[in-house]
């Protein structure tokens, strides 16, 4: 027996799109399987309109970076959509639309765009034992934005108190960790949470990657021609990204991570407190 639709379900698809652009409801596509199927197939042009309407204000002018920060929180904001959204924003600013403050690439201080949690929330250690690659998300998406250079606002890798780096360390996604560090991510957030996660994993290589600057990571914003080649002679020691402390050494002892204990105590000079020293001697 054929199911008879009623209410909104009898409307043409184009009219449903108009309803959603008016309502801007995140719940509408999830009312039923019917609506979910309809809105899964929306064209890029509709998605751009939806994001632009959802992320701009009708009263207060917003900077382009703020609009893009909001747009990136939406799962529909994939590369083709983001490209057209950015082009649409630029078109509106060039036409003098007063509610968007344009992005100016030539400014010495680039506008900052928030890195959304959604890109990293699902990251977890792989159960199949395979190593992460640069083709595994969200690495390609971040690289796609970075490749835009100064024409796009700079991504803030320390958004949400270093959430991205901590999740990447939790998942042991080494290519992503290196990329985030290259972008300027700091492992010092939340009392060195990313380092503590690596210690709990008893992963000395990861701890060193987070703590030490080895000069092999290219600074963001530099082209190949601008990257300085290492000079001959004695290399100057680079300052660590985060200061290791007694609590990290205590955690390493608790996790029975012998190589990390040696690294923190002997190489980094962390002096254990009496309680930790007693446990080390046992």
């Amino acid at each position: 027996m054929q199911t008879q639709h009623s209410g909104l379900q009898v409307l043409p698809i184009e009219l449903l799109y108009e309803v959603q652009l008016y309502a801007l409801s995140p719940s509408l596509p999830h009312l039923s399987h019917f609506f979910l199927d309809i809105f899964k197939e929306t064209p890029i042009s509709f998605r751009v309109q939806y994001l632009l309407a959802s992320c701009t204000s009708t009263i207060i002018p917003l900077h382009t970076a703020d609009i893009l920060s909001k747009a990136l929180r939406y799962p529909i904001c994939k590369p083709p959509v983001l490209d057209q959204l950015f082009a649409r924003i630029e078109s509106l600013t060039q036409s003098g639309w007063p509610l968007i403050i344009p992005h100016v690439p030539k400014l010495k201080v680039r506008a900052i765009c928030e890195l959304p949690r959604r890109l990293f929330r699902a990251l977890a250690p792989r159960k199949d034992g395979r190593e992460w690659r640069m083709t595994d998300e969200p690495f390609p998406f971040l690289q796609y934005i970075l490749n835009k250079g100064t024409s796009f606002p700079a991504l803030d890798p320390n958004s949400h108190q270093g959430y991205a780096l901590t999740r990447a360390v939790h998942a042991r996604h080494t290519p992503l960790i290196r990329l985030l560090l290259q972008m300027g991510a700091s492992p010092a957030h939340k009392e060195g949470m990313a380092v503590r996660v690596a210690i709990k994993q008893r992963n000395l290589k990861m701890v060193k990657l987070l703590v030490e600057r080895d000069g092999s990571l290219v600074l963001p914003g530099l082209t190949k021609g601008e990257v300085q080649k290492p000079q001959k002679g004695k290399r100057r020691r680079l300052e660590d990204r985060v200061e290791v402390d007694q609590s990290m050494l205590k955690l390493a002892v608790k996790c029975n991570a012998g190589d990390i204990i040696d690294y923190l105590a002997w190489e980094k000079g962390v002096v254990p407190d009496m309680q930790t020293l007693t446990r080390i001697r046992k």
Side-chain angles (χ1 to χ4, degrees):
M1 183 176 178
Q2 189 174 3
T3 304
Q4 291 187 349
H5 297 302
S6 60
L8 289 175
Q9 296 186 21
V10 302
L11 296 177
I13 292 176
E14 292 77 10
L15 193 52
L16 284 175
Y17 289 169
E18 291 297 324
V19 169
Q20 177 63 329
L21 288 176
Y22 177 79
L24 298 177
S25 170
S27 303
L28 180 58
H30 302 282
L31 288 179
S32 67
H33 289 294
F34 172 81
F35 287 113
L36 191 60
D37 291 339
I38 291 293
F39 287 102
K40 271 185 178 179
E41 303 300 325
T42 51
I44 292 177
S45 57
F46 169 82
R47 298 183 179 201
V48 169
Q49 285 182 278
Y50 179 82
L51 289 175
L52 194 59
S54 299
C55 302
T56 55
S57 169
T58 57
I59 303 174
I60 304 172
L62 294 176
H63 196 284
T64 297
D66 296 327
I67 297 171
L68 293 173
S69 292
K70 292 181 179 181
L72 286 170
R73 298 172 190 169
Y74 290 78
I76 62 172
C77 193
K78 300 186 183 300
V81 176
L82 186 57
D83 281 341
Q84 289 200 23
L85 175 64
F86 190 51
R88 178 63 176 154
I89 291 172
E90 286 192 318
S91 175
L92 288 171
T93 55
Q94 289 172 5
S95 65
W97 200 34
L99 294 176
I100 298 180
I101 302 171
H103 171 63
V104 183
K106 294 183 180 180
L107 288 178
K108 290 184 178 180
V109 180
R110 288 174 66 187
I112 302 298
C113 199
E114 179 189 88
L115 207 53
R117 288 190 183 96
R118 72 169 183 88
L119 295 176
F120 311 93
R121 190 173 288 122
L123 287 176
R126 283 189 153 166
K127 296 180 180 180
D128 57 10
R130 292 189 300 116
E131 291 187 358
W132 292 92
R133 300 178 181 274
M134 290 188 291
T135 53
D136 295 318
E137 292 292 355
F139 189 104
F141 185 68
L142 296 181
Q143 191 64 65
Y144 145 79
I145 295 179
L146 292 175
N147 287 341
K148 291 181 175 294
T150 57
S151 65
F152 197 90
L155 294 175
D156 179 11
N158 294 305
S159 301
H160 310 293
Q161 295 184 293
Y163 180 82
L165 183 61
T166 301
R167 292 300 304 183
V169 173
H170 169 66
R172 307 185 189 211
H173 194 327
T174 303
L176 179 59
I177 293 167
R178 288 185 173 276
L179 180 63
L180 290 169
L181 292 174
Q182 174 185 329
M183 293 167 60
S186 171
H189 288 286
K190 288 193 171 182
E191 299 181 342
M193 177 65 74
V195 179
R196 295 175 192 277
V197 171
I199 292 173
K200 287 183 178 180
Q201 294 172 344
R202 300 200 293 182
N203 190 335
L204 175 60
K205 186 176 180 181
M206 185 72 73
V207 171
K208 285 186 173 183
L209 176 62
L210 293 170
V211 173
E212 299 178 0
R213 301 179 194 268
D214 60 5
S216 63
L217 297 176
V218 179
L219 293 175
L222 294 181
T223 63
K224 290 182 179 180
E226 295 173 319
V227 177
Q228 295 182 354
K229 295 181 179 179
Q231 297 179 353
K232 294 182 179 179
K234 188 175 181 180
R235 293 180 61 184
R236 183 172 63 87
R237 180 178 175 82
L238 299 174
E239 184 180 354
D240 289 344
R241 294 189 183 90
V242 59
E243 184 177 351
V244 292
D245 56 27
Q246 287 184 347
S247 64
M248 293 179 183
L249 178 57
K250 182 179 291 187
L251 179 61
V253 172
K254 183 179 179 180
C255 296
N256 196 27
D259 53 353
I260 298 178
I261 294 171
D262 291 341
Y263 169 71
L264 295 176
W266 298 107
E267 289 191 40
K268 307 310 291 183
V270 178
V271 179
D273 57 24
M274 290 304 298
Q275 183 182 9
T276 305
L277 186 60
T278 302
R279 295 190 64 174
I280 292 175
R281 287 176 174 175
K282 286 183 179 180

